[in-house]
Amino acid sequence: MKYLMIKRLVIVSLLFGLSACGGGDVEKNPPAQQTPTSDVYTGPAAATADIQKYKASLWDNISTQDKCGACHTEGNQAPYFASRNDVNDAYAATNPLVDLTDPKASRLVSKVAGGHNCWLASDSACGETMTQWIKLWADERVSTANTIELTAPVIRDPGASKNFPDDSSLFSQHVYPIVNQYCVSCHNEGVQAAQSPFFASNDIEQAYEAAKGVINLDDPAQSRLVVRLGSEFHNCWSNCLDDSIEMRDAIMALSDGIELDEISPDMVVSKSLRLTDGITASSGGRFETDVIALYQFKTGEGTIAYDTSGISPAANLTLTGDVEWLGSWGLSFIDGKAQASTANSKKLHDLITATGEFSVEAWVTPNNVTQEGPARIVTYSAGDDARNFTLGQTLYNYDFMLRTESSNNNGEPALSTPDADEVLQATLQHVVMTYNATSGRSIYVNGQLIDVVDEDIAPLANWDDSFALILGREASNQHVWQGDIRLLAIYNRVLAPEQVQQNYEVGVGEKFFLLFSISHLIDLPNTYVMFEVSQFDNYSYLFSNAAIVNIDGTPVSDSFEVKGLRIGINGKESAQGQSYVNLDLSVSSGQGIAEPFSISALGTIIALEKGANQDEFFLSFEQLGEHTNVVLPGIFVTPTEVPATTESAQVGVRNFAEINHSMSVLTGVAQQTTKVFDTYELVKRQLPSLENIETFISAQQMGITQLAIAYCDSAIEDNTIRSNWFPDVDFTEVPSVALSVTNRDNLLNPLINQLMPLSLSNQPNKSDVYAELDSLITGLSVCSGSCSAERTRTIAKSTCAAVLASAVMLVQ
C-alpha cells in the first residue's frame, strides 16, 4: 500500500472541461508486448559474463522501441543505456542508473514508477517489473541485510479531528444523491462492469462504508471523489471543474454537520503520526531466484493484476466478478476470479516442464474453514476435471492436485494436509507447495514442512499448454474460493526449506515503524515509543512490537514509570483493541535504549476510520514519568499485560470462523440461514481473530453470545430440530407446565447432550451445568401475572445460548 500525506490544496480554476464517461477508464486488456523486427541486436558480443547477464536480464527488455529504446539511444536522448549499437556501451551507461544491492532504489525504477514512459496502465507495475529485471541481473549482489535506520519523524501535536458518524443520514442527504446519479454505472456492485469501491451501491450502508475511504472530512477539497473529477477528469457528467466543485460542496456540507473530537487537556499524550510519517520496515530480502510469475497486487485499483516477475510474457490477471483490492496489497475474493490468458499462461507450461520441478508460494487468508470442492485458490487448469496443478482448500485442509504419470487428468489423488491437524485456519498464512520427480509433492505452512508423505511420486506427464492460470475459482466458474491473496509467486525450481523459511520471515505487505515522540514527557531528547504498524485489511490496522528507543543512543538518565498505554486515532482513544491498558513497568536509570527496549509482547487491531491516507494516531498514558491522568476504571476490559519473556498460555480459543462452524455443527443450523448469516456478518469483526487466549476481551464474548442466540433461535424455531432435540417437551404449554420441576429433565438432558457431546476431563461436569441451567430456568419462569406459551420457547432459546456461548464451545 502507498499512503499520501494530507496537504491542504485548493482546486485550481484553470481546468479543462471534459465530457462525461471515459476519462478514467482502465484499459482492461493492454496490448501484447511484441518486439519489432528492427530491435534484433546485431552489434558486438558481450565482453564479459556480467555484461551478458545484464543483456539477458535487463537490456533485452528495456531497449525495445515500446520502452526505453525509443529515446535513450545515440542521436536521441542521453544517457544511451538503451543503445542498440553496442551492448557494452549500453552496460557502461546503465551502471550509474542502478543500485545492484538495492534494485528498488535504482534511478531506472523511480523514473518509470513515477510515470516516465511507463509501458503499462499502472506506473507501480512498471516500477515493480523494472525492479525485477535489475534483480535478475544483480542476483547474489542484492542485499538481504536486516538493517533499519531509525530517524526522527515529523513532530506534530495531536489535533482536533472530525470522524464519520455511525449514522449514514448526513451522507445520504448530501453526497449519496450525486454518486447515485452519476457514478452508479460503475461503482455499484450490481452492474456488469462493477468497479470498487462501491460508494454508489443500492445499499446505502454499504455505499457509506465504501465512501469513507474517498472522503476527506478535514479538507473536503482533497477528497478522492473531488480530485478524481477536478484533476484527473474522471467520468465528469458536465464540466469537470463545475462537477468537482459540486462534489466538494456536498462533502463540505457533510463535514459541517459533524462535530470536532477534541483531545482533553488532562490527557497525557505523545506526539501524533500518520502512517506515511513512519519508516518503512523490512525483514530482509525475499528469495526470488527462478521466479517465473510474481504477483504483489500493489496496483490497488482497476481490473488488471500485473505479473511483475520480469519473465516474458507477463501473465497479467484480469479481474472479473466480485473481487476487491486490499489497501494492504492483495485481492479479496468474494465471488469472482482473476485469470491470465491461455497464451501468456503458456510460459508456466514451457518453463516448468523444462525443469521438471516447480514451487507455488502464496500468502492467503481463507474467509472460513467450511469451504469444500476443493475450492480453487490457485489453479492452472481448463475445467472441473482437467488441470496441470491446483492449490485448493477443503475445510481445514490445503490440497495439492498435480498431473503426473501416476495421476489422472484431474491431478488426483490430491496430496492434502492431515485432517486431524487442522492446518488451514481462517487467518493470514504462508503456503508453499513444491514438486520434483525425486521427492514428489510437499506442502509448507508458515515456514514449516507439513508431515504428509506423497505416495504417488512420478514425473510430470502430458501437461496441457492451453490451460489458464486462475485465482479464486475454476475455469468453469465452479469451486469458488473465498478469501484474500496477498502475494503469489511461481518458480520453476523447488524452494529449499531454508528459502521457504526466509520468505516466511520476510512477511508480506507494507509495514512501518511509527516513532511516537515522548521526549516532552520524560525530558530525554529523541526518545520514542515505537510500534510496528501495518494496514491489516480494508477495515483495520495491526499494531505490534511496542518498544522504547532513543535514536541518539542516550541511556535513560532518570527512571520513569509507564502505565496504562492506549492508542488514539483522530482526536480520541480508539474504542477497540486497547491491549496495553494494563501495561505497568518501570524503566530504570541507566537502561540502554539505543536498541528498541521491548515493553509489550502483545499485538492489537485498531479500526480504520477515514482511510490509510488520513488517519492520525497518538498514544495516551495513565502515567508516564511525572505526568498522570486519572482514567475511570471499567471503560476498557483487556487481558493482563505479561512481560515479553513470559511464555504464552497453552490454552487457546477458537477464532471467528471456527466459532461459526462449531455452532453450526452443534445445533444443526446451516450457516446460510438468514438470521444466523446476518448476525455473523454483523459481529464477525467483534469475534476473536487470534487463538491466543491472552488477547480475549469481554467485547468478544458479547459477540459470541449474539451469534449463539441467533443459532439457538433458529434451532428452536425449526420444527424438525426442536422435535428431534426435545420430543417430550410440549411447547404449546406455559413454562409452569412444560418446564415444571418434574418435566425439566425433558429439556435439560437433551440440551446438554446435544451441545456437550464430548466427555472431557477439562470441561465442566455435566451435573454442575445442569444445576446452573436449572437455576436459570427457575428465574426465567417467574412472570408478573402469568407466562404465555411463547415464554417456553424463549426460555429454551436462552438456556441453549447459555451453553452454546460458553467456554465449552470456545476453548480449544
Side-chain angles (χ1 to χ4, degrees), residues 178-224:
I178 299 176
V179 297
N180 189 47
Q181 180 177 358
Y182 299 116
C183 307
V184 71
S185 61
C186 295
H187 294 282
N188 182 298
E189 71 278 16
V191 301
Q192 184 174 4
Q195 293 187 19
S196 64
F198 300 129
F199 50 76
S201 171
N202 295 333
D203 183 337
I204 186 66
E205 297 302 328
Q206 181 175 342
Y208 182 44
E209 287 302 316
K212 291 177 181 179
V214 289
I215 291 176
N216 187 330
L217 295 177
D218 298 315
D219 190 355
Q222 284 309 298
S223 298
R224 186 65 177 153

Side-chain angles (χ1 to χ4, degrees), residues 229-249:
L229 293 167
S231 299
E232 300 177 11
F233 320 119
H234 174 74
N235 288 356
C236 306
W237 51 90
S238 58
N239 175 280
C240 284
L241 174 58
D242 294 340
D243 296 345
S244 67
I245 292 174
E246 180 182 357
M247 184 70 76
R248 180 204 62 189
D249 290 346

Side-chain angles (χ1 to χ4, degrees), residues 312-324:
S312 297
N316 298 330
L317 304 169
T318 298
L319 313 184
T320 57
D322 198 352
V323 182
E324 295 182 358

Side-chain angles (χ1 to χ4, degrees), residues 38-67:
S38 61
D39 285 342
V40 175
Y41 178 66
T42 58
T48 67
D50 190 52
I51 297 175
Q52 179 58 39
K53 190 172 185 180
Y54 154 79
K55 178 181 183 299
S57 302
L58 178 62
W59 185 84
D60 282 347
N61 290 300
I62 65 173
S63 65
T64 56
Q65 288 293 315
D66 60 334
K67 301 185 185 72

Side-chain angles (χ1 to χ4, degrees), residues 328-350:
S328 49
W329 298 346
L331 292 177
S332 181
F333 293 86
I334 297 92
D335 187 13
K337 67 179 178 179
Q339 179 172 337
S341 69
T342 55
N344 291 342
S345 298
K346 183 176 181 294
K347 75 170 178 178
L348 303 180
H349 168 279
D350 295 345

